[in-house]
Structures are given as C-alpha cells and as structure tokens.
Amino acid sequence: MYAVKYVIVAIFVALGILLPVAALTIGRWLRPNKPNEDKATTYESGNEPVGEGQVRFNIRYYLFALLFVIFDVETVFLYPWAVAYNKLGLFALVEMCIFVLLLGVGLLYAWKKKVLQWTSI
C-alpha cells in the first residue's frame, strides 16, 4: 500500500517531463522553418534599428521596485494576520510587532542611504 504512493508520484513526475517534451517536439515538427536575414534583425515598429540595443537604466528604478515589492509583501502578510487576530493571541501580536519593526528598520536604512530621493540622471 505504501509503495502505491511512490508509483503515483513517479507517474506524475513522468507526465511532468513527458508532456512538455512532447509538446515542444510536436511544435518543432509542425512549425515552418524558413530563416532569412530580415527575420534575424531587431524589430522596432517597422523602423530600421539605430544605435545599440543595450540601454543603461538608472539603478534607482530597481531600488524603487525592490522597495515596493518588500512593502507589498508586508501587506500580504499583515492581512491574514489581521483577519485571524482573535484566534492567534498575544504570541502572534508580538511576532507581528517584531516583523513590522524589522521592516521599519529597513525603511529607515533606505531613507538614510537616500534611496527614496528621486534625482534626475
């Protein structure tokens, strides 16, 4: 009886490998393959590409995005805690206070490093 569980897992692993490989193989057989130089160029709304394809972005874009994700995740963790607060008790309150305190420390660190100030390039 115990070995049946392993057989089921093995079947799902085999299907998880077999189905994508089969789909990609069938797609390769059915797709048209007519390479030419025009297909290899960069497409920019019908215009001829000018300049380099690599553009440098200011690091502040990434820092703002990272801070947004961090505080967005904080909201995701706070909502279920607030809904189930009555059932969780004092221990959960202390843990959530520590969690919010650590996020506050991270926010103060970002503020001191002037990550939150937007300056032009």
Side-chain angles (χ1 to χ4, degrees):
M1 185 70 177
Y2 191 70
V4 173
K5 294 180 181 181
Y6 283 109
V7 171
I8 292 172
V9 170
I11 290 171
F12 277 106
V13 168
L15 284 174
I17 294 170
L18 181 68
L19 290 176
V21 169
L24 291 171
T25 304
I26 292 170
R28 179 172 283 189
W29 290 339
L30 294 178
R31 73 175 183 219
N33 188 13
K34 298 177 183 174
N36 62 25
E37 189 177 328
D38 290 335
K39 288 183 180 179
T41 62
T42 305
Y43 180 74
E44 293 183 8
S45 302
N47 298 327
E48 290 294 324
V50 177
E52 291 185 32
Q54 300 291 329
V55 178
R56 292 187 155 257
F57 287 101
N58 191 347
I59 189 68
R60 295 206 183 270
Y61 292 116
Y62 301 109
L63 293 175
F64 269 73
L66 186 61
L67 285 173
F68 171 76
V69 168
I70 289 170
F71 289 104
D72 193 41
V73 169
E74 173 193 2
T75 305
V76 170
F77 284 133
L78 283 174
Y79 181 74
W81 172 80
V83 169
Y85 174 70
N86 289 335
K87 296 177 186 175
L88 297 175
L90 183 63
F91 182 71
L93 175 66
V94 171
E95 281 191 8
M96 191 53 66
C97 288
I98 292 170
F99 176 70
V100 171
L101 180 71
L102 287 174
L103 285 169
V105 168
L107 181 62
L108 284 174
Y109 178 77
W111 197 335
K112 291 282 186 183
K113 291 287 185 177
K114 300 189 187 295
V115 172
L116 301 176
Q117 290 181 354
W118 190 264
T119 57
S120 61
I121 297 175

